Amino acid sequence: MLKKLFIGSLLSAGLLFAYNPLDGVKAQKADALKIVGNNFITVQTLKKWLGFVKIIDVREEAEYRSGHIKNSILIPRGVLYGAVKKGKIKPNDKLVIVCRTGHRALLAAATLKKWYKFNNVYVLKGGIKAWIQNGGVVYNSMHLGPVKIELQGK
């Protein structure tokens, strides 16, 4: 009886089994990678594709306003469903999904492919951060025109 009580108290205190919330994130990413496959593109490829693809930025509005790729469309990841239902993006559109580093874009691309049967969905490898690091110009909501940004640190 005492042994059961001791193990029970260890379990409830979380001392017997360590819970790591990142395990869920890792599993989610692994599943998304299976769905998206090799549909990652580099900054150099995106620069060649400009004008021929829709660039979907899945960051939140404040992030988008701070700097985004010209002519990109803001559709935060949490409202993809509404954008699909309203026809902002269609299953046959050629889309490049962008976020800050690529993680949210990966999850958004997997959602579009799996649940909405989008075929031509690509993820910008490294996100807007890679775009900036490779000399890409960003625009912001302060209407200053194109801005060249240099990232400090890692």
Side-chain angles (χ1 to χ4, degrees):
M1 176 71 171
L2 197 55
K3 185 177 179 181
K4 284 183 182 178
L5 184 61
F6 178 69
I7 290 175
S9 63
L10 285 176
L11 282 172
S12 64
L15 299 175
L16 193 56
F17 299 105
Y19 170 70
N20 183 352
L22 291 179
D23 288 343
V25 173
K26 289 176 187 172
Q28 192 178 39
K29 184 176 181 180
D31 289 344
L33 283 167
K34 289 177 193 169
I35 295 165
V36 173
N38 293 323
N39 286 15
F40 288 87
I41 64 165
T42 63
V43 169
Q44 292 74 23
T45 301
L46 179 54
K47 286 179 179 181
K48 292 176 190 171
W49 288 6
L50 289 177
F52 302 103
V53 295
K54 283 186 177 180
I55 302 170
I56 307 301
D57 194 318
V58 295
R59 297 176 296 158
E60 295 301 318
E61 185 174 356
E63 294 173 281
Y64 180 83
R65 290 172 57 109
S66 70
H68 57 272
I69 299 170
K70 184 177 183 179
N71 297 324
S72 61
I73 301 166
L74 173 64
I75 304 175
R77 182 173 164 248
V79 297
L80 278 175
Y81 172 80
V84 172
K85 292 300 175 197
K86 289 179 182 174
K88 275 188 167 182
I89 51 176
K90 297 177 176 71
N92 291 325
D93 290 343
K94 188 172 184 177
L95 305 176
V96 175
I97 313 297
V98 178
C99 68
R100 183 174 160 277
T101 61
H103 181 75
R104 283 177 282 179
L106 170 64
L107 299 177
T111 298
L112 290 171
K113 286 178 75 76
K114 181 176 181 176
W115 298 108
Y116 303 112
K117 308 303 180 208
F118 278 64
N119 298 315
N120 300 309
V121 180
Y122 300 87
V123 175
L124 178 62
K125 193 173 184 177
I128 194 86
K129 202 169 173 183
W131 176 261
I132 292 166
Q133 288 171 339
N134 286 278
V137 174
V138 295
Y139 291 75
N140 64 38
S141 62
M142 296 182 337
H143 305 292
L144 299 173
V147 179
K148 183 103 174 186
I149 297 175
E150 289 184 26
L151 299 176
Q152 300 295 317
K154 297 256 177 195

